[in-house]
Each structure stands twice: as structure tokens, then as C-alpha cells.
């Protein structure tokens, strides 16, 4: 079953590609191509982007910065990514609007829920920048929150790994990938797929999460079409 409206969470780190910092234009191009195919098929798509390729709030606070201040710097990093993504998407012919949780009107629209939904109805991609505008919340939690707000059918977490494993697959070559998981399993086993606030929000609002490898071209289209990619987290059947 194809999804009618999806929220795609892109990690900032994913935008780096092979680079040590910043944005790899070839990755943005490949994401834009995937997204243009999704939009052409009629699925409405909103995107929440992280900022870890530029600045990570948690790291800043570990290095001695005040946590709230570090989180604000992280939010600004996500705005840079959102605008870069908009540029890449529009170059690929996908009409895109950026809305920021913290108002910076000269750069982008402020976040207005009903306006975001209207953009989606018109076939535009909406990229949400600035996290949810509050420190101490991750962009994963923002993805879950915005998905609930815009009545999305699913959250796609496109990342560097191809799903959820029982152990770290980089450290343990025999780690097993789950195809289906329940929200409760993710929470009780403390599987590091998304933070617990994000999982709990999706659980309470019954929004399934699909975790898949962003670098496999065509994966976004497959996930939107409801094909089996990566791992799916939901309520037990
Ligand atoms: P419709 O009203 O549905 O036609 O949507 P639209 O986004 O095409 O029209 P609108 O006239 O609202 O916006 C035109 C352009 O200005 C779009 O690229 C918007 O993203 C941008 N825009 C709208 N509001 C703001 C704002 O507050 N700040 C900035 N920087 N851009 C804005």
C-alpha cells in the first residue's frame, strides 16, 4: 500500500556523504532525484532534517557549552541544511517550501501548521528547519511531532544503516536485522534507533516508523510505495 502523506527524517550526517563535514552536493542531488519520483507519483512529502553534519548540540554540551545554548546552535545548523536541501530539490524541479520553528522571516517561512498542510496538498515538499524550536528535543522527536501535527501516515527514518539491529552491526558482524518490531520492543530493549521521546510520540499517535538506508538509490520511492525496506516499527498486528 502506498502512503498518501509521509514525513521523511534525514539525518544531518547523512548529508555529509563521504565528506568529514558539511554537505555533499552529490548526496543532495541523489535525494532530490528520489524525492522527485515520489512527488510525481502523488505522495505528499514533508521533510525534517537534522544538523549533525555541521553542529551537534549534545557534543557541544559535552565539550562544556551550556546545553540549551548548544541546542540552539544545532537548530541553526538544521536551517542551513533545510535551505540547502530546498535548493537541491528545486534544481530537480520539485517545488519546495522551508518553514522554520524559530522565526527568521528573511530566510524562510515561519512554521504554520495549516499552511504547511496546504503546501503539501498542492504537491510541494515542505522542509521543516530549526527542529521543534526548543532545546532538549532532538530532530527525531521533531519528526514524530510534525508527523502527528500534519497527520502523516508514516515516519521514514532514512539513515546510514539499513535498518534496526539487535546489536551494533559495525561491532558485531553476526548482528541480526529486524524486519518488524513493535514500539514497545524498541523502548524496552533500548534499541538505539530514535530517542525514546520520538518513539513514544509515534506510539501514542499510532504512526509507524520505517528505518532504511538513505544511500541505496530508490529506497525512498520503495518505502513510499509500501515495499519492504529496512525495518518497520509499529503496533503489534
Ligand atoms: P500559495 O499561497 O499557496 O500560492 O503559496 P506560495 O508559498 O507559493 O505563496 P506565497 O505568496 O505565500 O509565497 C511565495 C514565496 O515566498 C514562497 O517561496 C514562500 O516560501 C516565500 N515566503 C512566504 N512567506 C515567507 C516568509 O515569511 N519569509 C520568507 N523568507 N519567505 C516567505
Amino acid at each position: 500500500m502506498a502512503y498518501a502523506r509521509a514525513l521523511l527524517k534525514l539525518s544531518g550526517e547523512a548529508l555529509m556523504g563521504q565528506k568529514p563535514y558539511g554537505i555533499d552536493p552529490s548526496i543532495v542531488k541523489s535525494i532530490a532525484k528520489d524525492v522527485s519520483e515520489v512527488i510525481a507519483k502523488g505522495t505528499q512529502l514533508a521533510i525534517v532534517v537534522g544538523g549533525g553534519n555541521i553542529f551537534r548540540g549534545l557534543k557541544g554540551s559535552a565539550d562544556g557549552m551550556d546545553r540549551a545554548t548548544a541546542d540552539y546552535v544545532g537548530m541553526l545548523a538544521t536551517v542551513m541544511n533545510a535551505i540547502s536541501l530546498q535548493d537541491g530539490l528545486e534544481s530537480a524541479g520539485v517545488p519546495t517550501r522551508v518553514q522554520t520553528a524559530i522565526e527568521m522571516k528573511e530566510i524562510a517561512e515561519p512554521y504554520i501548521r495549516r499552511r504547511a498542510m496546504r503546501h503539501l496538498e498542492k504537491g510541494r515538499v515542505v522542509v521543516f528547519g530549526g527542529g521543534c524550536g526548543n532545546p532538549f528535543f532532538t530532530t527525531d522527536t521533531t519528526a514524530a511531532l510534525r508527523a502527528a501535527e500534519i497527520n502523516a501516515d508514516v515516519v521514514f527514518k532514512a539513515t546510514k544503516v539499513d535498518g534496526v539491529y539487535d546489536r551494533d552491526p559495525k561491532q558485531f558482524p553476526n548482528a541480526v536485522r529486524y524486519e518488524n518490531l513493535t514500539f514497545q520492543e524498541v523502548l524496552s530493549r533500548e534499541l538505539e534507533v530514535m530517542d525514546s521521546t520520538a518513539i513514544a510520540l509515534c506510539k501514542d499517535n499510532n504512526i509507524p516508523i520505517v528505518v532504511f538506508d538513505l544511500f541505496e538509490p530508490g529506497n525512498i520511492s520503495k518505502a513510499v510505495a509500501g515495499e519492504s525496506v529496512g525495518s518497520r516499527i509499529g503496533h503489534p498486528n
Side-chain angles (χ1 to χ4, degrees):
M1 173 213 61
Y3 295 101
R5 181 175 287 174
L7 187 302
L8 172 67
K9 163 71 205 303
L10 294 175
S11 77
E13 277 188 354
L15 297 182
M16 282 194 309
Q18 299 306 316
K19 296 174 88 184
Y21 173 85
I23 299 167
D24 179 345
S26 69
I27 297 288
V28 174
K29 231 180 182 173
S30 130
I31 295 169
K33 186 171 174 289
D34 263 14
V35 168
S36 66
E37 284 164 16
V38 166
I39 296 298
K41 285 184 192 144
T43 294
Q44 298 177 11
L45 194 72
I47 299 177
V48 168
V49 64
N53 54 327
I54 299 168
F55 188 90
R56 193 172 278 288
L58 260 181
K59 167 87 170 55
S61 93
D63 290 344
M65 213 169 158
D66 170 66
R67 169 70 195 269
T69 306
D71 279 350
Y72 281 119
V73 179
M75 286 179 225
L76 294 176
T78 72
V79 176
M80 292 195 222
N81 284 337
I83 292 168
S84 307
L85 209 52
Q86 178 183 39
D87 185 79
L89 288 166
E90 296 212 313
S91 297
V94 181
T96 306
R97 300 289 183 265
V98 175
Q99 293 198 343
T100 56
I102 295 170
E103 208 173 288
M104 40 185 96
K105 279 203 296 207
E106 288 76 4
I107 294 175
E109 296 178 24
Y111 172 61
I112 299 169
R113 172 179 171 263
R114 291 179 64 110
R115 188 150 187 218
M117 289 166 77
R118 189 81 186 108
H119 287 321
L120 294 174
E121 285 161 6
K122 289 188 175 178
R124 298 167 183 151
V125 168
V126 181
V127 185
F128 296 118
C132 63
N134 294 297
F136 300 100
F137 288 91
T138 63
T139 46
D140 279 352
T141 299
T142 305
L145 172 66
R146 294 288 187 248
E149 286 185 277
I150 63 168
N151 305 326
D153 304 310
V154 63
V155 170
F156 292 132
K157 175 156 167 125
T159 181
K160 291 184 295 187
V161 284
D162 63 351
V164 185
Y165 285 80
D166 59 346
R167 285 172 293 176
D168 183 350
K170 282 197 200 103
Q171 279 186 47
F172 302 93
N174 56 349
V176 178
R177 177 160 65 88
Y178 297 103
E179 251 180 51
N180 284 290
L181 276 156
T182 65
F183 294 115
Q184 198 52 50
E185 281 169 332
V186 174
L187 289 172
S188 58
R189 292 189 208 161
E190 297 184 349
L191 297 171
E192 288 177 11
V193 42
M194 278 174 141
D195 58 279
S196 56
T197 314
I199 300 289
L201 253 174
C202 285
K203 177 173 182 269
D204 291 351
N205 294 289
N206 194 15
I207 305 170
I209 302 165
V210 180
V211 183
F212 61 84
D213 182 357
L214 172 68
F215 299 113
E216 184 70 40
N219 253 359
I220 301 176
S221 301
K222 278 190 199 158
V224 163
E227 287 176 39
S228 171
V229 282
S231 306
R232 185 183 185 280
I233 305 164
H235 280 301
N237 288 323

